[in-house]
Amino acid sequence: MKPIEHRIVLKNDISEIERLHDFIKQIGKEYHIKDGLLDEINLAVEEAIVNVIDYAYPDGVEGEAVINVNEENGFIKFVIKDKGKPFDPTQVKEADTTLGVEDREIGGLGIFLVRKIMDNVQYERTADGQNVLTLIKKIKEENI
Amino acid sequence: MKLIVKEENGRIIGTLEGRLDTAAGPGFMKEMEPLLKNADKQIILDCAALEYISSYCLRAFLALRKASAAKGGKIQIINMNDKIIKVFKITGFYKLFDIKND
């Protein structure tokens, strides 16, 4: 049996974050994800999407981000696709979280959060010009 | 999301409410202005009703912390829930702030 897949198409507009939040809430219900964990997943997906909204397309150009979600063996998988300029978040230099107040830079935290929260983050640039970012997070304890 | 700022015995109390997602960010930056203006004073941020925070809004916290350090003020965060404390810990913000838990 093919796993059930959920899908949402978001415009590159920051107001879409609310729709994304509602979508993640539905996902949480569907897969019985605990509140705290769901908030973390929401944050990681939001940061990844904000990155697409802010940087993938030139200013004033309308674009889309498509998210497909499914669950397999206790892991939830978000596949985020856009047709913007190539960008590999897995290659971004990690924010230095050890710095003190004066040296700490404003920004650079979004991608950092995606990578810290998710168990696995993979990036692929397809031949037909799409960024494909896959985010995987364990949502169920193993049955021992 | 809402930020209410009031002065009490020379201390500035900021009470935060709701979700600080990325879409709320620009509004939050604006609502932070009275706090930034008073960054030389003792500021208490009551986060009891703060439900969620994105990196955009974390930046506003850092900007306030930097202003406070530069102007010799003090910031204390109170009543922050575990979910948000976890985000502060992941990002290293936990040790940048004086966070008081019950």
Side-chain angles (χ1 to χ4, degrees):
Chain A
M1 198 176 84
K2 208 176 170 240
I4 305 156
E5 192 156 270
H6 299 267
R7 185 172 192 266
I8 188 169
V9 179
L10 300 166
K11 286 194 286 264
N12 59 336
D13 187 308
I14 206 70
S15 65
E16 292 281 77
I17 293 304
E18 200 178 331
R19 274 181 64 225
L20 174 65
H21 175 51
D22 290 341
F23 176 73
I24 303 266
K25 257 204 290 201
Q26 281 304 317
I27 297 285
K29 264 190 214 154
E30 178 97 17
Y31 298 114
H32 309 287
I33 304 171
K34 280 186 233 139
D35 261 8
L37 180 58
L38 190 65
D39 268 4
E40 283 179 44
I41 291 170
N42 190 116
L43 181 56
V45 178
E46 175 178 328
E47 298 292 350
I49 287 296
V50 164
N51 210 65
V52 174
I53 291 172
D54 284 350
Y55 305 116
Y57 302 98
D59 278 351
V61 174
E62 254 190 50
E64 283 177 350
V66 181
I67 312 177
N68 283 288
V69 189
N70 64 49
E71 188 258 0
E72 225 171 307
N73 303 323
F75 288 84
I76 195 150
K77 182 164 92 175
F78 293 80
V79 181
I80 303 171
K81 291 182 185 174
D82 70 73
K83 291 177 181 163
K85 64 177 181 205
F87 174 69
D88 182 355
T90 65
Q91 296 303 313
V92 175
K93 198 172 148 259
E94 288 227 324
D96 188 348
T97 58
T98 64
L99 295 175
V101 174
E102 284 81 8
D103 303 322
R104 197 63 202 264
E105 282 172 32
I106 305 243
L109 280 172
I111 295 299
F112 178 81
L113 279 165
V114 176
R115 283 155 63 174
K116 285 288 167 188
I117 290 169
M118 288 295 175
D119 295 325
N120 194 327
V121 178
Q122 290 166 27
Y123 170 80
E124 191 197 344
R125 179 76 184 180
T126 62
D128 64 345
Q130 293 196 73
N131 293 309
V132 182
L133 186 67
T134 305
L135 311 176
I136 296 170
K137 179 81 179 170
K138 190 173 161 187
I139 54 167
K140 291 202 177 79
E141 297 305 317
E142 285 105 320
N143 298 310
I144 300 164
Chain B
M1 114 86 225
K2 214 159 70 178
L3 168 63
I4 299 158
V5 180
K6 59 180 180 184
E7 193 165 350
E8 235 176 61
N9 306 321
R11 297 185 311 180
I12 311 296
I13 321 267
T15 307
L16 291 97
E17 262 182 54
R19 295 177 60 83
L20 285 176
D21 60 20
T22 311
F28 180 54
M29 290 285 198
K30 217 167 166 49
E31 290 194 55
M32 283 285 261
E33 278 169 16
L35 291 179
L36 286 164
K37 272 189 204 138
N38 286 290
D40 58 322
K41 301 198 178 79
Q42 189 184 356
I43 295 174
I44 294 171
L45 297 175
D46 187 344
C47 294
L50 179 62
E51 295 163 20
Y52 177 92
I53 190 159
S54 62
S55 71
Y56 191 116
C57 294
L58 279 171
R59 278 191 252 166
F61 271 75
L62 183 58
L64 181 62
R65 181 68 187 83
K66 278 177 181 281
S68 170
K71 293 179 179 172
K74 260 189 185 160
I75 301 174
Q76 189 177 53
I77 295 176
I78 58 169
N79 302 324
M80 190 178 252
N81 77 36
D82 290 346
K83 292 189 291 191
I84 295 176
I85 283 180
K86 191 165 179 193
V87 177
F88 268 61
K89 283 188 173 166
I90 294 172
T91 53
F93 273 43
Y94 193 76
K95 56 182 181 291
L96 299 181
F97 287 87
D98 174 10
I99 298 174
K100 204 172 145 228
N101 296 322
D102 290 329

